[in-house]
Amino acid sequence: MADAPTTEECAADLDPAIVRLIGRPQYVAEAGIPANERNVQAMCAAVENANPAWWSAGEATVLLGQPYCPATMLPAWGRPELWEPGQGEPLRALQAHFDLKGLLGYPASIVVTYTTTFYKPVKLGDRLRTQQIVRRIGEIKSTKLGTGRFWTVDMQYLDAAGDVVGVESYDFFGFDKGEA
Amino acid sequence: MKRLTVADVAMGMDLPELVFTVSATRLVAGALASRDYSPLHHDRRYVVDVAGQRDIFANTQFQAALFERYLNDWSGPMGRTVQMRFAMRVSVFAEDEVAIHGTVEDVLQDGPCGPCVKVTLNMTVDGRIVTTCDALYALPADEADNPWDRGGERWLQPA
């Protein structure tokens, strides 16, 4: 299994304005909601996870040493509310991907693979910031879906100390169906 | 309470199967718990009329949580997820009955996060693979060890 992406790459034929996006944090968001038992237990109920550490902060502390949350809850701590006072047009999840898709001029895209890596455990009460980073944009390729490019966008989650707690890494293929 | 240690695990070991019905209620509950408000995961009219799908379907985090539950069931509460890599081939729709199978591909005694195991997880519906997940999952070295204490040089670090 590969670790999270370690190198930034780009195709040689890209517009310099697009190249400048690679490796640069975008959509740096303020701290989200505190990690909390309500969301953890709602998810554990949905999938029937009976791990006692997820149903009692006291039990988690006894078992794990701290009131940790399930690792896979990570994205929940970085998502915005559905609406907040004063909010304008809501951003789409992983806006950096949609920006890139538009800049490259591809009407369609699919997620090819999705990798999530957990570097530090999240405790109840932790608040995480997020930022999005375009990691790589490949050469033009033809596949059975159409002609397009592969690219990778990371969603990073950072704690109050600025340490990367986890990364969701999305590999996309953006394409034009008419150019298959 | 079961507490698996790495000594209990061998390469090639099959994990017990889990069969789980992804009801519409569970699917919506999971989407809201993960704070994913996309209509694809709760609004059947939108999904059918606009997105052209047959029903609402599970978001990625629901699938991740279900795989994590599967690993927790196997290991007991001390197991700790390091990494999951997904290939989602087909959506998991409301009322699908999924079966999850896991196989231990490798046992890593040392290195970042060790001891840990590489597990391949297959989620199927009617015998067809809908999602595969390659998971790296830390286990206790022995009954006194706590994988949740690992950090620094004893855990995977970001690039």
Side-chain angles (χ1 to χ4, degrees):
Chain A
M1 177 185 305
D3 291 349
T6 56
T7 57
E8 281 102 26
E9 302 168 1
C10 69
D13 61 337
L14 290 170
D15 185 291
I18 296 175
V19 173
R20 280 194 291 274
L21 295 175
I22 297 174
R24 184 164 65 86
Q26 301 181 69
Y27 299 104
V28 179
E30 295 300 310
I33 66 161
N36 67 86
E37 287 181 288
R38 200 172 78 175
N39 286 79
V40 168
Q41 290 172 11
M43 179 59 90
C44 288
V47 299
E48 297 187 359
N49 188 335
N51 185 337
W54 313 143
W55 290 92
S56 157
E59 192 73 15
T61 303
V62 169
L63 287 166
L64 313 179
Q66 295 276 349
Y68 291 128
C69 301
T72 57
M73 284 302 291
L74 181 69
W77 314 135
R79 291 193 173 116
E81 297 291 359
L82 184 60
W83 179 86
E84 294 175 11
Q87 178 181 294
E89 193 66 23
L91 291 174
R92 286 180 287 190
L94 217 60
Q95 186 68 41
H97 155 69
F98 289 101
D99 292 350
L100 193 57
K101 184 178 159 189
L103 288 166
L104 293 170
Y106 294 123
S109 66
I110 60 162
V111 177
V112 180
T113 55
Y114 163 78
T115 304
T116 180
T117 308
F118 309 103
Y119 295 109
K120 288 178 73 176
V122 176
K123 296 190 299 292
L124 294 175
D126 285 353
R127 298 183 67 182
L128 306 180
R129 293 182 294 114
T130 60
Q131 57 187 25
Q132 302 170 31
I133 301 179
V134 177
R135 285 298 185 195
R136 57 175 70 93
I137 307 171
E139 307 282 348
I140 293 175
K141 303 265 188 190
S142 289
T143 75
K144 63 184 178 184
L145 290 172
T147 298
R149 295 178 192 268
F150 290 90
W151 63 79
T152 302
V153 180
D154 285 356
M155 174 72 89
Q156 290 189 335
Y157 296 81
L158 301 97
D159 63 15
D163 293 335
V164 176
V165 166
V167 176
E168 294 179 280
S169 189
Y170 295 82
D171 296 318
F172 291 97
F173 181 60
F175 59 97
D176 188 334
K177 292 176 185 173
E179 294 184 13
Chain B
M1 188 186 312
K2 179 174 58 179
R3 291 198 188 189
L4 203 73
T5 71
V6 74
D8 302 318
V9 180
M11 195 166 66
M13 174 185 280
D14 288 324
L15 281 60
E17 181 184 66
L18 171 69
V19 176
F20 188 81
T21 299
V22 181
S23 69
T25 303
R26 286 170 171 158
L27 201 155
V28 173
L32 296 182
S34 58
R35 305 177 67 243
D36 181 346
Y37 306 113
S38 166
L40 297 170
H41 312 304
H42 68 262
D43 185 342
R44 189 171 191 279
R45 186 203 58 77
Y46 173 88
V47 170
V48 172
D49 294 347
V50 179
Q53 301 291 316
R54 68 175 163 88
D55 208 332
I56 60 172
F57 53 89
N59 69 341
T60 303
Q61 200 178 341
F62 183 94
Q63 295 197 45
L66 189 53
F67 282 129
E68 191 168 47
R69 174 253 162 119
Y70 178 75
L71 291 169
N72 282 183
D73 284 358
W74 172 60
S75 70
M78 305 306 290
R80 179 178 169 193
T81 307
V82 183
Q83 187 177 64
M84 288 179 164
R85 180 180 173 86
F86 295 85
M88 285 167 282
R89 303 182 187 184
V90 184
S91 297
V92 175
F93 292 101
E95 309 309 330
D96 277 349
E97 184 179 83
V98 302
I100 301 178
H101 306 260
T103 303
V104 176
E105 300 292 346
D106 205 355
V107 181
L108 306 169
Q109 296 288 349
D110 302 313
C113 317
C116 62
V117 289
K118 287 183 177 180
V119 184
T120 295
L121 304 167
N122 288 322
M123 184 183 292
T124 59
V125 174
D126 295 330
R128 183 172 62 150
I129 293 177
V130 291
T131 303
T132 61
C133 171
D134 293 324
L136 194 58
Y137 191 69
L139 291 172
D142 52 45
E143 289 181 5
D145 183 37
N146 179 5
W148 293 82
D149 285 341
R150 296 176 200 161
E153 293 180 355
R154 295 198 62 214
W155 197 256
L156 204 60
Q157 295 300 309

